[in-house]
Amino acid sequence: MRTVFRQLAIAAILSAPCLYTSAFTIPQKTQLMQNGRSSMVLEASKNKDKIASRSKWAEARGYGDVDASDDGAAATGMSFAMDKEKNQLTVTPIKSLDGTVTLPGSKSLSNRCLLLAALSEGNTRVENLLESDDIRYMLEALDTLKVPVERDADDKTAVTVTGQAGPIDSPTPDESLELFLGNAGTAMRPLAAALCMGKGKFVLDGVPRMRERPIADLIDGLKQLGADVSCVEETGCPPVTINANGLNGGSASISGKMSSQFLSSLLMASPVVDGDVTIAIKDELISAPYVSLTIGLMKKFGVTVKIEGDMDGTPSFIIGKDEKYTSPESILVEGDASSASYFLAGAAITGGTVTVRGCGSESVQGDVAFADVMEQMGATVTWAPESITVSRDPNTKLKGVDVDCGKIPDAAMTLAVAALFAEGPTTIRNVYSWRLKETERMKAIVAECTKLGATVEEFEDYCIIHPPADNKVNDNVVIETYDDHRMAMTFSLAACGGVNVIIDDPGCTAKTFPTYFEMLGSIASAN
C-alpha cells in the first residue's frame, strides 16, 4: 500500500552501477581480477590536515560544538565522550533506540530550492533549509553572485531569495569570478550548468576530493548545447571554467551511468535558455528517483518537463521555450530521507521503536525505500504520509538480503552496517557510484566492516557482507571516516551491537547533519 501511495504522489507531481566507460578515465579506476574481485588496495581519500583541525573548522562556519559532548544529548538519552586531542568520539554501547526524530531538511532539496528560487521571477521564502556545509557553500556562492538572499533572524533554517527572472549573470563581467564549493556536489554540478546560461567568466573549484569527482558527462552535455565550458581534460574533474554568453537551446545526449546529478543539473538550467531544450539519456539512468524529485520541484516553480520513454530505460526530456520559472512564494523543504536511514536501521538492529518525521509515504525522495529493505530484513514498518515508524519483534531476527540499491546509493551505506547484525550474507548491488562520492566509499565500507569483524567480498559495483560469527562485532574499533559525513553516521550504529565504537573526525558530519550525534544520543538507551 505504501508503494502505491508513493507512486501516486510522484505521478501527481510529474503530471501537475554498472561499469563506466567514457572518453576520459575515472581516477583510480578499479581493475578486475579473473575472479571478478577488485585488486586495488584501499585508496580512500584521507585529508589528514583537515582531520587535525575539524572542530575549529566546523565552529568557524557557525555549527557551534558539533562534538556531541556531555551536554549534547537530551537528559533522558545518552551522551558520547569526545577526545578533542585525538579528535575522536566514542559512541558507547547502545541497548536500544526508541523515540521520535524530526528530520533536518533534505540536502538535495535544499540546494535545488535555492537555485530554482534564484532563477525564478519573484521572491521565494525557503523554509526548513538544511543547516549544513553543503548548503552554506551554495548560499555563499549566491552571495558572491550578488543574488539577494535575506536570512531570517529568528529562524536559521529560513531564507528569502530574490529571483533573477532568468539566468544569473556575473557581477564582474570584465573579470573571472571564482566560486569555491568545497566538496558539495549538489552545488558544483547545478551551478556549473546554470552559470553557462547567463553571461560572464567563472571558475568553479573545491577541496582536493572535489578534483577527483568526475563532471565530464555534464560538461559534454553543456558543450552540445553550445556552452563554452571545460574541466580538467586529463581527469574529467573540476575545476570548471566557464565563458558564458547565453544559450539558445538545442539538444544533448548524455550518459546517465555515473550520476543522476548531471541530468538534474541540465534540467534545472534549461528553462532559462532562449529556446527549446531536449536532453536524451544514451545508455541508462541511475538514481532515477532523484531525477523525479528534480522534475517535481521544477513543477512547483511553474515549469513542466515532458518525458518521452521509460525512466528505467533511455528516456528523453523536453523543456519548451515558453517554460519559465515563477516563484511559488514559499516552499517547505522535506525532511532528509537519507538521514532517516540511520535511525530506522538503529531501531531494526536493537528492536526498539523509532518514528522519523519529515518524510513518509508521500515523500518524493527515493531513499524512503530504505524502510522497505528493513522490512525485507525482518523489521516492522508503519507508514504515514509524513512519517515512518520502524520496530522489530525481539523474537524475529534480522536476515541477510540481496538488494539492488542503484536507486538508494546513500542509504545503501546504512544497509552495510545493518548487515553486520543479520543472519546470513547481505549483497548490496548496483552501487558503482559509491566509488565517486565524497570518498571512495566502496573501499571505505569494505575496510571498516572488516575491522568490525565482517568478511566482505568486493566487486566492481557490488559487495557481499558476511556478518561476524554470532553477530558479535569487535569492541573499541577506531572507524576512519575519510572526511566523509556518511561514513561517520553509518558506522556509529555498530555501537548497537553492545560495543564501544570510536569515530575518527566526528565533525565531518557538519557536511549534512552537524547535530547527528546529539540526535542519536537523545533517543538512545545504554546497556
Side-chain angles (χ1 to χ4, degrees):
M1 182 63 71
R2 193 281 311 178
T3 301
V4 173
F5 284 156
R6 286 198 63 248
Q7 289 174 342
L8 289 172
I10 293 173
I13 290 171
L14 295 179
S15 64
C18 53
L19 189 63
Y20 179 77
T21 57
S22 182
F24 68 95
T25 302
I26 296 175
Q28 302 180 352
K29 183 71 178 280
T30 304
Q31 302 299 320
L32 296 182
M33 295 164 54
Q34 289 184 349
N35 66 359
R37 298 183 190 176
S38 167
S39 62
M40 189 176 76
V41 298
L42 178 63
E43 295 182 11
S45 296
K46 299 182 183 181
N47 189 334
K48 294 299 185 183
D49 291 336
K50 183 177 286 186
I51 288 174
S53 60
R54 170 64 85 167
S55 293
K56 292 181 180 178
W57 174 86
E59 289 171 9
R61 282 162 173 76
Y63 299 126
D65 186 358
V66 300
D67 299 334
S69 55
D70 292 342
D71 58 353
T76 56
M78 296 174 62
S79 60
F80 306 122
M82 179 71 189
D83 186 328
K84 294 192 175 183
E85 182 177 350
K86 293 182 178 180
N87 195 21
Q88 293 178 338
L89 181 78
T90 299
V91 182
T92 48
I94 295 174
K95 179 181 180 180
S96 183
L97 292 184
D98 293 276
T100 298
V101 170
T102 299
L103 298 168
S106 160
K107 177 186 73 170
S108 298
L109 282 169
S110 290
N111 271 348
R112 283 168 170 82
C113 283
L114 288 173
L115 180 60
L116 296 192
L119 299 174
S120 295
E121 179 178 357
N123 296 342
T124 304
R125 179 176 171 84
V126 184
E127 298 178 339
N128 198 36
L129 200 63
L130 176 63
E131 283 192 276
S132 76
D133 195 55
D134 278 18
I135 279 62
R136 288 174 184 260
Y137 278 124
M138 177 66 89
L139 288 169
E140 289 171 4
L142 294 178
D143 289 340
T144 302
L145 292 164
K146 303 302 181 185
V147 175
V149 180
E150 181 184 353
R151 276 69 166 178
D152 189 323
D154 299 321
D155 183 356
K156 292 191 294 183
T157 69
V159 299
T160 299
V161 181
T162 299
Q164 304 301 287
I168 300 171
D169 296 329
S170 173
T172 59
D174 298 328
E175 299 177 5
S176 181
L177 188 67
E178 297 184 2
L179 298 177
F180 182 80
L181 301 170
N183 200 11
T186 57
M188 171 66 74
R189 281 82 175 260
L191 281 171
L195 294 177
C196 284
M197 309 308 172
K199 295 183 179 181
K201 299 178 181 180
F202 308 91
V203 176
L204 280 59
D205 203 355
V207 298
R209 177 58 183 171
M210 180 61 83
R211 292 188 172 192
E212 299 172 349
R213 300 179 68 180
I215 198 170
D217 286 332
L218 174 58
I219 301 303
D220 177 54
L222 290 166
K223 285 183 175 180
Q224 291 178 53
L225 294 174
D228 182 357
V229 58
S230 63
C231 59
V232 179
E233 185 175 355
E234 292 78 11
T235 63
C237 301
V240 174
T241 302
I242 300 170
N243 294 298
N245 194 32
L247 295 180
N248 296 315
S251 61
S253 178
I254 67 168
S255 173
K257 285 184 175 183
M258 185 174 293
S259 173
S260 65
Q261 283 187 18
F262 302 148
L263 173 59
S264 286
S265 298
L266 287 171
L267 289 172
M268 288 189 288
S270 293
V272 297
V273 306
D274 188 15
D276 296 336
V277 176
T278 300
I279 306 166
I281 295 298
K282 63 184 179 182
D283 37 42
E284 64 179 279
L285 179 61
I286 69 167
S287 303
Y290 283 99
V291 178
S292 297
L293 179 151
T294 298
I295 293 172
L297 188 60
M298 292 170 67
K299 181 68 175 179
K300 292 185 178 181
F301 280 84
V303 169
T304 299
V305 178
K306 181 180 179 182
I307 305 173
E308 294 183 348
D310 189 344
M311 289 285 279
D312 291 328
T314 54
S316 294
F317 305 85
I318 302 169
I319 300 94
K321 64 180 180 180
D322 294 328
E323 298 290 342
K324 302 299 177 187
Y325 289 124
T326 302
S327 170
E329 297 186 356
S330 67
I331 189 163
L332 180 68
V333 176
E334 191 174 281
D336 192 271
S338 300
S339 297
S341 70
Y342 312 119
F343 306 105
L344 299 180
I349 294 167
T350 64
T353 300
V354 172
T355 298
V356 294
R357 289 179 176 170
C359 63
S361 60
E362 294 183 357
S363 172
V364 297
Q365 298 175 76
D367 274 355
V368 294
F370 178 80
D372 295 331
V373 180
M374 292 296 96
E375 190 169 43
Q376 291 178 44
M377 295 185 80
T380 300
V381 180
T382 304
W383 294 85
E386 295 183 354
S387 69
I388 308 170
T389 300
V390 167
S391 60
R392 178 175 61 83
D393 187 318
N395 295 319
T396 301
K397 293 185 177 181
L398 294 180
K399 59 180 181 293
V401 291
D402 188 327
V403 184
D404 183 336
C405 293
K407 294 182 178 180
I408 57 167
D410 287 344
M413 296 176 68
T414 314
L415 175 58
V417 174
L420 302 177
F421 303 99
E423 289 186 327
T426 291
T427 302
I428 304 174
R429 298 188 185 274
N430 200 15
V431 287
Y432 184 79
S433 63
W434 274 1
R435 301 187 184 276
L436 311 170
K437 296 286 188 174
E438 282 80 346
T439 189
E440 215 284 26
R441 286 177 171 171
M442 181 71 82
K443 293 294 177 186
I445 285 172
V446 169
E448 304 313 307
C449 283
T450 301
K451 286 182 188 178
L452 288 165
T455 300
V456 186
E457 300 178 73
E458 178 192 353
F459 299 84
E460 183 75 358
D461 65 347
Y462 72 100
C463 64
I464 304 174
I465 299 174
H466 300 268
D470 299 321
N471 303 115
K472 300 294 185 181
V473 297
N474 294 330
D475 196 7
N476 289 309
V477 171
V478 176
I479 298 296
E480 170 63 68
T481 54
Y482 309 94
D483 198 21
D484 186 336
H485 56 132
R486 297 206 185 280
M487 288 294 295
M489 294 184 282
T490 293
F491 281 90
S492 68
L493 296 178
C496 294
V499 298
N500 292 299
V501 179
I502 303 167
I503 305 296
D504 200 27
D505 185 26
C508 66
T509 60
K511 188 175 192 295
T512 55
F513 201 162
T515 60
Y516 168 74
F517 289 106
E518 296 174 20
M519 196 169 289
L520 177 67
S522 73
I523 62 169
S525 58
N527 280 329

